Amino acid sequence: MRDVSHQATGAHALGLAAFNRNMLGKFARGIGPSRDFCSYWEIDKWDRPAPVDYKNDQDFWYNLTANFDVLDACWRQYQWSGDKTYVEDPAFLEFYRRSVKEYIEAWDKDRDGIPEHRPEYGYRGLGGYDEGPFSDNALYASDLIAAMARAFESYSGFLEIRGENATAVALRERAAGLRTMYDGSWWSDEKGKYADGRVQGARSSFRT
């Protein structure tokens, strides 16, 4: 999910728009309540969740940033291609809606509006794309905050096209709130940088 999202624009420039739509559509169709509204982190050439990272719906690898990244990639691909599939296909629409609602609710145990990782989850629901030692104790990382804010704005774009303006405005306000929170509480004058993330039992964490 991460790699397709991050490489979709380059693929489009190479004439691979149809391949982007196919792959993003596979991930959109993979979202499911039995996985707490995660999709499949990897899908192999046999159209199945890749066995290396998926055993069953309770035992699989997942980075929580992924849904938001895929949603934003769909918006960018729509802007590049004008392909109405991204605006009209029920599978895409369901993925967008669930990613900004049920997905967050399923992983937001402390009800602060941000999905988080807990140590007992293991590698199911990592709080960001950092897969090193930091991820072991991280509730969520800065990339998750950034991707959420971007996804809210991207989904707002889709909603405005469909005439759902009130919901679009509310999502843009949520995106603005995340950015205000990040700028206000994640910056350290002493260290001269933003925190990498929030860790278990602490407000934030900085790496040297």
Side-chain angles (χ1 to χ4, degrees):
M1 295 178 76
R2 175 189 58 206
D3 298 346
V4 169
S5 299
H6 292 184
Q7 297 169 19
T9 301
H12 179 86
L14 293 172
L16 301 174
F19 292 86
N20 280 334
R21 184 185 62 238
N22 177 59
M23 288 186 286
L24 291 168
K26 298 286 188 184
F27 292 127
R29 288 173 175 81
I31 194 171
S34 62
R35 292 179 296 284
D36 294 319
F37 301 98
C38 295
S39 181
Y40 298 116
W41 176 244
E42 297 167 326
I43 298 174
D44 65 19
K45 64 181 180 180
W46 294 284
D47 202 24
R48 63 182 183 179
V52 66
D53 281 329
Y54 175 87
K55 304 298 182 289
N56 54 62
D57 282 357
Q58 284 69 51
D59 185 3
F60 60 92
W61 180 284
Y62 210 77
N63 301 66
L64 292 176
T65 312
N67 279 42
F68 307 123
D69 244 356
V70 167
L71 197 165
D72 179 52
C74 291
W75 173 242
R76 288 184 285 111
Q77 285 306 294
Y78 171 71
Q79 290 180 303
W80 275 100
S81 67
D83 188 338
K84 295 292 187 181
T85 304
Y86 294 106
V87 184
E88 299 174 352
D89 187 320
F92 277 112
L93 297 177
E94 187 76 352
F95 176 80
Y96 308 152
R97 183 189 67 78
R98 287 185 150 185
S99 290
V100 303
K101 189 176 188 302
E102 288 99 329
Y103 178 63
I104 295 174
E105 292 170 352
W107 293 92
D108 178 24
K109 302 305 183 187
D110 60 8
R111 296 296 178 251
D112 65 351
I114 302 170
E116 68 266 352
H117 175 75
R118 302 288 177 175
E120 59 267 26
Y121 300 168
Y123 46 70
R124 186 183 189 270
L126 297 175
Y129 284 145
D130 188 317
E131 298 170 356
F134 174 76
S135 66
D136 293 340
N137 294 314
L139 282 172
Y140 47 79
S142 56
D143 63 345
L144 178 62
I145 301 297
M148 278 185 69
R150 183 60 257 175
F152 290 161
E153 292 186 341
S154 296
Y155 187 31
S156 295
F158 284 125
L159 290 170
E160 287 165 352
I161 291 170
R162 296 179 58 81
E164 301 178 44
N165 295 316
T167 306
V169 169
L171 281 169
R172 291 193 187 280
E173 290 175 351
R174 288 173 69 184
L178 285 172
R179 289 194 169 94
T180 298
M181 178 273 292
Y182 184 77
D183 286 335
S185 62
W186 287 47
W187 174 259
S188 169
D189 287 330
E190 177 185 354
K191 296 182 180 294
K193 64 178 182 178
Y194 287 96
D196 298 296
R198 181 182 172 194
V199 298
Q200 310 288 333
R203 180 183 179 192
S204 59
S205 175
F206 294 87
R207 281 179 285 187
T208 57

Short mmCIF file of all heavy atoms in Angstrom, two decimals, residues 33-38 56-64 107 117-118 120-126:
data_model
loop_
_atom_site.label_atom_id
_atom_site.label_comp_id
_atom_site.label_asym_id
_atom_site.label_seq_id
_atom_site.Cartn_x
_atom_site.Cartn_y
_atom_site.Cartn_z
N PRO A 33 -14.24 -5.13 8.07
CA PRO A 33 -14.43 -5.02 9.52
C PRO A 33 -13.72 -6.11 10.32
O PRO A 33 -13.34 -5.89 11.46
CB PRO A 33 -15.95 -5.10 9.69
CG PRO A 33 -16.46 -5.72 8.43
CD PRO A 33 -15.52 -5.30 7.36
N SER A 34 -13.53 -7.28 9.73
CA SER A 34 -12.85 -8.36 10.46
C SER A 34 -11.38 -8.05 10.70
O SER A 34 -10.74 -8.67 11.55
CB SER A 34 -12.97 -9.68 9.69
OG SER A 34 -12.34 -9.58 8.42
N ARG A 35 -10.84 -7.08 9.98
CA ARG A 35 -9.46 -6.62 10.18
C ARG A 35 -9.44 -5.22 10.78
O ARG A 35 -8.47 -4.47 10.59
CB ARG A 35 -8.69 -6.65 8.85
CG ARG A 35 -8.44 -8.05 8.33
CD ARG A 35 -7.70 -8.03 7.01
NE ARG A 35 -8.47 -7.40 5.95
CZ ARG A 35 -9.49 -7.99 5.32
NH1 ARG A 35 -9.84 -9.24 5.65
NH2 ARG A 35 -10.16 -7.36 4.36
N ASP A 36 -10.50 -4.84 11.47
CA ASP A 36 -10.62 -3.49 12.02
C ASP A 36 -10.47 -2.43 10.93
O ASP A 36 -9.84 -1.40 11.13
CB ASP A 36 -9.59 -3.27 13.14
CG ASP A 36 -9.86 -4.13 14.35
OD1 ASP A 36 -11.04 -4.27 14.72
OD2 ASP A 36 -8.91 -4.68 14.92
N PHE A 37 -11.03 -2.74 9.77
CA PHE A 37 -11.08 -1.84 8.62
C PHE A 37 -9.71 -1.54 8.02
O PHE A 37 -9.54 -0.54 7.34
CB PHE A 37 -11.85 -0.56 8.97
CG PHE A 37 -13.25 -0.86 9.42
CD1 PHE A 37 -13.56 -0.93 10.77
CD2 PHE A 37 -14.23 -1.13 8.49
CE1 PHE A 37 -14.86 -1.25 11.18
CE2 PHE A 37 -15.53 -1.46 8.89
CZ PHE A 37 -15.84 -1.51 10.24
N CYS A 38 -8.78 -2.44 8.25
CA CYS A 38 -7.55 -2.44 7.47
C CYS A 38 -7.82 -3.11 6.13
O CYS A 38 -8.80 -3.86 5.98
CB CYS A 38 -6.44 -3.23 8.18
SG CYS A 38 -5.90 -2.50 9.74
N ASN A 56 -3.84 -14.53 8.96
CA ASN A 56 -5.29 -14.52 9.05
C ASN A 56 -5.70 -13.11 9.49
O ASN A 56 -4.85 -12.24 9.66
CB ASN A 56 -5.82 -15.59 10.02
CG ASN A 56 -5.19 -15.48 11.39
OD1 ASN A 56 -5.35 -14.47 12.08
ND2 ASN A 56 -4.49 -16.53 11.82
N ASP A 57 -6.98 -12.89 9.69
CA ASP A 57 -7.46 -11.53 9.98
C ASP A 57 -7.06 -11.03 11.36
O ASP A 57 -7.23 -9.83 11.65
CB ASP A 57 -8.99 -11.46 9.84
CG ASP A 57 -9.41 -11.37 8.39
OD1 ASP A 57 -8.54 -11.32 7.50
OD2 ASP A 57 -10.64 -11.37 8.13
N GLN A 58 -6.53 -11.90 12.20
CA GLN A 58 -6.02 -11.47 13.49
C GLN A 58 -4.50 -11.44 13.55
O GLN A 58 -3.92 -10.96 14.52
CB GLN A 58 -6.55 -12.38 14.61
CG GLN A 58 -8.01 -12.14 14.98
CD GLN A 58 -8.96 -12.56 13.88
OE1 GLN A 58 -8.87 -13.69 13.37
NE2 GLN A 58 -9.86 -11.68 13.50
N ASP A 59 -3.86 -11.93 12.52
CA ASP A 59 -2.40 -12.05 12.51
C ASP A 59 -1.87 -11.57 11.16
O ASP A 59 -1.78 -12.34 10.21
CB ASP A 59 -1.99 -13.50 12.76
CG ASP A 59 -0.48 -13.69 12.87
OD1 ASP A 59 0.26 -12.68 12.82
OD2 ASP A 59 -0.04 -14.85 13.00
N PHE A 60 -1.57 -10.29 11.09
CA PHE A 60 -1.07 -9.73 9.84
C PHE A 60 -0.28 -8.45 10.13
O PHE A 60 -0.49 -7.78 11.13
CB PHE A 60 -2.20 -9.43 8.85
CG PHE A 60 -3.23 -8.45 9.34
CD1 PHE A 60 -3.11 -7.08 9.08
CD2 PHE A 60 -4.34 -8.88 10.05
CE1 PHE A 60 -4.05 -6.18 9.53
CE2 PHE A 60 -5.30 -7.98 10.51
CZ PHE A 60 -5.15 -6.62 10.24
N TRP A 61 0.60 -8.12 9.22
CA TRP A 61 1.39 -6.89 9.30
C TRP A 61 0.57 -5.73 8.76
O TRP A 61 -0.08 -5.85 7.74
CB TRP A 61 2.66 -7.05 8.46
CG TRP A 61 3.56 -5.84 8.48
CD1 TRP A 61 3.38 -4.67 7.82
CD2 TRP A 61 4.77 -5.70 9.22
NE1 TRP A 61 4.41 -3.80 8.09
CE2 TRP A 61 5.28 -4.41 8.95
CE3 TRP A 61 5.48 -6.55 10.08
CZ2 TRP A 61 6.47 -3.94 9.51
CZ3 TRP A 61 6.66 -6.08 10.63
CH2 TRP A 61 7.15 -4.80 10.36
N TYR A 62 0.62 -4.59 9.45
CA TYR A 62 -0.08 -3.41 8.94
C TYR A 62 0.48 -2.14 9.56
O TYR A 62 0.70 -2.07 10.77
CB TYR A 62 -1.58 -3.50 9.25
CG TYR A 62 -2.43 -2.79 8.22
CD1 TYR A 62 -2.67 -3.38 6.98
CD2 TYR A 62 -2.97 -1.53 8.47
CE1 TYR A 62 -3.45 -2.75 6.02
CE2 TYR A 62 -3.75 -0.90 7.52
CZ TYR A 62 -3.98 -1.51 6.29
OH TYR A 62 -4.75 -0.87 5.35
N ASN A 63 0.70 -1.14 8.72
CA ASN A 63 1.10 0.18 9.17
C ASN A 63 -0.12 1.10 9.05
O ASN A 63 -0.69 1.24 7.97
CB ASN A 63 2.24 0.73 8.30
CG ASN A 63 3.46 -0.16 8.33
OD1 ASN A 63 3.42 -1.29 7.85
ND2 ASN A 63 4.57 0.33 8.86
N LEU A 64 -0.51 1.72 10.14
CA LEU A 64 -1.77 2.45 10.18
C LEU A 64 -1.81 3.66 9.26
O LEU A 64 -2.89 4.16 8.94
CB LEU A 64 -2.08 2.87 11.62
CG LEU A 64 -2.41 1.73 12.59
CD1 LEU A 64 -2.61 2.27 14.00
CD2 LEU A 64 -3.65 0.96 12.13
N TRP A 107 -9.25 1.90 15.81
CA TRP A 107 -7.89 1.94 16.33
C TRP A 107 -7.65 3.06 17.33
O TRP A 107 -6.56 3.16 17.90
CB TRP A 107 -6.90 2.05 15.16
CG TRP A 107 -6.89 0.83 14.31
CD1 TRP A 107 -7.64 0.59 13.17
CD2 TRP A 107 -6.12 -0.35 14.51
NE1 TRP A 107 -7.37 -0.66 12.67
CE2 TRP A 107 -6.43 -1.27 13.47
CE3 TRP A 107 -5.16 -0.74 15.47
CZ2 TRP A 107 -5.85 -2.52 13.37
CZ3 TRP A 107 -4.59 -1.99 15.37
CH2 TRP A 107 -4.93 -2.87 14.34
N HIS A 117 -1.11 2.61 18.07
CA HIS A 117 -0.59 1.26 18.22
C HIS A 117 -0.35 0.97 19.70
O HIS A 117 0.09 1.85 20.45
CB HIS A 117 0.74 1.13 17.47
CG HIS A 117 1.42 -0.19 17.66
ND1 HIS A 117 0.99 -1.34 17.04
CD2 HIS A 117 2.50 -0.54 18.41
CE1 HIS A 117 1.78 -2.35 17.39
NE2 HIS A 117 2.69 -1.89 18.22
N ARG A 118 -0.64 -0.25 20.12
CA ARG A 118 -0.37 -0.69 21.49
C ARG A 118 0.60 -1.87 21.43
O ARG A 118 0.55 -2.68 20.48
CB ARG A 118 -1.66 -1.12 22.18
CG ARG A 118 -2.73 -0.04 22.23
CD ARG A 118 -2.40 1.07 23.20
NE ARG A 118 -3.40 2.12 23.19
CZ ARG A 118 -3.40 3.15 24.02
NH1 ARG A 118 -2.43 3.27 24.91
NH2 ARG A 118 -4.34 4.07 23.94
N GLU A 120 0.70 -4.71 22.74
CA GLU A 120 0.09 -6.04 22.63
C GLU A 120 -0.37 -6.36 21.21
O GLU A 120 -0.65 -7.52 20.90
CB GLU A 120 -1.09 -6.17 23.60
CG GLU A 120 -2.20 -5.17 23.41
CD GLU A 120 -2.06 -3.91 24.25
OE1 GLU A 120 -0.91 -3.56 24.61
OE2 GLU A 120 -3.09 -3.30 24.55
N TYR A 121 -0.40 -5.36 20.33
CA TYR A 121 -0.80 -5.62 18.95
C TYR A 121 0.29 -6.30 18.14
O TYR A 121 0.02 -6.85 17.07
CB TYR A 121 -1.17 -4.32 18.23
CG TYR A 121 -2.31 -3.53 18.83
CD1 TYR A 121 -2.54 -2.22 18.41
CD2 TYR A 121 -3.15 -4.05 19.80
CE1 TYR A 121 -3.58 -1.47 18.93
CE2 TYR A 121 -4.18 -3.31 20.33
CZ TYR A 121 -4.39 -2.01 19.90
OH TYR A 121 -5.41 -1.27 20.43
N GLY A 122 1.54 -6.21 18.61
CA GLY A 122 2.66 -6.73 17.84
C GLY A 122 2.84 -5.93 16.56
O GLY A 122 2.91 -4.71 16.60
N TYR A 123 2.90 -6.61 15.43
CA TYR A 123 3.08 -5.89 14.16
C TYR A 123 1.75 -5.62 13.46
O TYR A 123 1.72 -5.22 12.31
CB TYR A 123 4.00 -6.67 13.22
CG TYR A 123 3.70 -8.15 13.10
CD1 TYR A 123 2.55 -8.61 12.46
CD2 TYR A 123 4.56 -9.09 13.67
CE1 TYR A 123 2.27 -9.95 12.36
CE2 TYR A 123 4.28 -10.46 13.57
CZ TYR A 123 3.13 -10.87 12.92
OH TYR A 123 2.86 -12.22 12.83
N ARG A 124 0.67 -5.83 14.14
CA ARG A 124 -0.66 -5.54 13.60
C ARG A 124 -1.05 -4.12 14.02
O ARG A 124 -1.37 -3.87 15.17
CB ARG A 124 -1.68 -6.54 14.13
CG ARG A 124 -3.07 -6.45 13.52
CD ARG A 124 -3.98 -7.46 14.21
NE ARG A 124 -5.28 -7.62 13.58
CZ ARG A 124 -6.36 -6.90 13.89
NH1 ARG A 124 -6.27 -5.96 14.81
NH2 ARG A 124 -7.51 -7.12 13.28
N GLY A 125 -1.00 -3.19 13.10
CA GLY A 125 -1.37 -1.82 13.41
C GLY A 125 -0.24 -0.98 13.94
O GLY A 125 -0.38 -0.31 14.98
N LEU A 126 0.91 -0.96 13.27
CA LEU A 126 2.02 -0.11 13.67
C LEU A 126 1.63 1.36 13.50
O LEU A 126 0.93 1.73 12.55
CB LEU A 126 3.27 -0.42 12.84
CG LEU A 126 3.84 -1.84 13.00
CD1 LEU A 126 5.00 -2.05 12.03
CD2 LEU A 126 4.29 -2.08 14.43
#
